[in-house]
């Protein structure tokens, strides 16, 4: 998908979020690199955030939770089950809502994101899935290695994927 059209909608958040050839200028040629960005949450910049359009949950890994020095008392019980890519059940420690800021350095938007905190190893610190992307009304393009969303005034925020972070394990 290269654009989201908002014609005929009276919703101020619906606008054309378009990816163009200009968005390809700073992209290193790649073979299916993931979109990996940084966000600010719990007052700290968190790198290695995977934009995962295939995930039905927004996930924070237990190691990240600990690095952010968050109190386990913040976790609320989660009674559902979460299954990994290969169908194995993943231990959910609980969930919490954290204000998370998305910025391109010139403009930003902060939204409360509900993260499931899981006890599992990952090359990433956070997985942003469909719930966050839909709440933000964000559109990601793996070809352009970017995610776009609107700030509160309607300006487009363009968050570039950090291709070096995506390559390093």
């Amino acid at each position: 998908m290269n654009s989201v059209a908002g014609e005929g909608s009276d919703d101020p958040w619906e606008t054309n979020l378009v990816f163009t050839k200009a968005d390809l200028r700073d992209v290193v040629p790649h073979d299916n690199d993931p979109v990996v960005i940084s966000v600010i949450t719990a007052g700290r910049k968190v790198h290695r955030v995977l934009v995962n359009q295939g995930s039905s949950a927004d996930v924070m890994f237990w190691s990240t939770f600990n690095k952010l020095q968050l109190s386990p008392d913040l976790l609320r019980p989660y009674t559902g089950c979460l299954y990994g890519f290969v169908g194995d059940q993943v231990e959910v420690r609980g969930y919490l809502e954290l204000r998370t800021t998305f910025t391109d350095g010139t403009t930003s938007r902060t939204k409360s994101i509900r993260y499931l905190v899981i006890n599992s190893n990952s090359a990433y610190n956070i997985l942003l899935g469909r719930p966050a992307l839909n709440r933000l009304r964000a559109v990601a393009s793996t070809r352009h290695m970017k995610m776009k969303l609107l700030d509160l005034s309607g300006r487009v925020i363009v968050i570039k994927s950090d291709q070096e972070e995506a390559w390093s394990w």
Side-chain angles (χ1 to χ4, degrees):
M1 174 189 306
N2 287 337
S3 68
V4 175
E7 295 176 13
S9 172
D10 59 356
D11 186 343
W13 289 103
E14 294 295 337
T15 189
N16 291 333
L17 290 175
V18 179
F19 292 91
T20 67
K21 286 183 184 178
D23 288 310
L24 291 170
R25 278 191 215 127
D26 57 351
V27 175
V28 175
H30 63 92
D31 290 321
N32 302 315
D33 285 350
V35 176
V36 177
I37 64 173
S38 296
V39 300
I40 300 167
T41 194
R44 311 252 316 263
K45 189 167 190 175
V46 178
H47 300 278
R48 299 197 54 74
V49 175
L50 176 66
V51 178
N52 185 356
Q53 299 171 49
S55 176
S56 61
D58 301 312
V59 173
M60 177 180 288
F61 293 92
W62 184 245
S63 59
T64 305
F65 182 88
N66 287 326
K67 286 177 193 170
L68 291 172
Q69 299 176 333
L70 297 169
S71 169
D73 295 339
L74 294 172
L75 291 175
R76 294 187 223 151
Y78 180 78
T79 57
C81 294
L82 187 66
Y83 293 92
F85 182 71
V86 295
D88 55 329
Q89 191 167 345
V90 178
E91 179 189 355
V92 179
R93 295 280 183 116
Y95 74 91
L96 77 161
E97 293 204 22
L98 290 175
R99 293 180 52 77
T100 303
T101 300
F102 301 83
T103 184
D104 61 8
T106 57
T107 189
S108 64
R109 179 142 161 241
T110 301
K111 196 79 169 166
S112 183
I113 304 293
R114 178 180 287 187
Y115 295 103
L116 287 180
V117 178
I118 67 168
N119 193 21
S120 180
N121 293 325
S122 176
Y124 305 102
N125 291 309
I126 291 175
L127 301 182
L128 278 182
R130 292 188 307 268
L133 295 174
N134 288 333
R135 285 193 78 196
L136 291 163
R137 298 187 182 187
V139 178
S141 170
T142 53
R143 174 168 158 66
H144 299 90
M145 300 303 293
K146 292 175 179 63
M147 182 174 91
K148 293 186 178 187
L149 64 150
L150 297 178
D151 71 6
L152 294 177
S153 69
R155 289 180 296 183
V156 177
I157 301 169
V158 180
I159 302 174
K160 299 175 185 174
S161 178
D162 186 333
Q163 287 183 271
E164 267 188 53
E165 283 284 331
W167 296 329
S168 64
W169 291 79

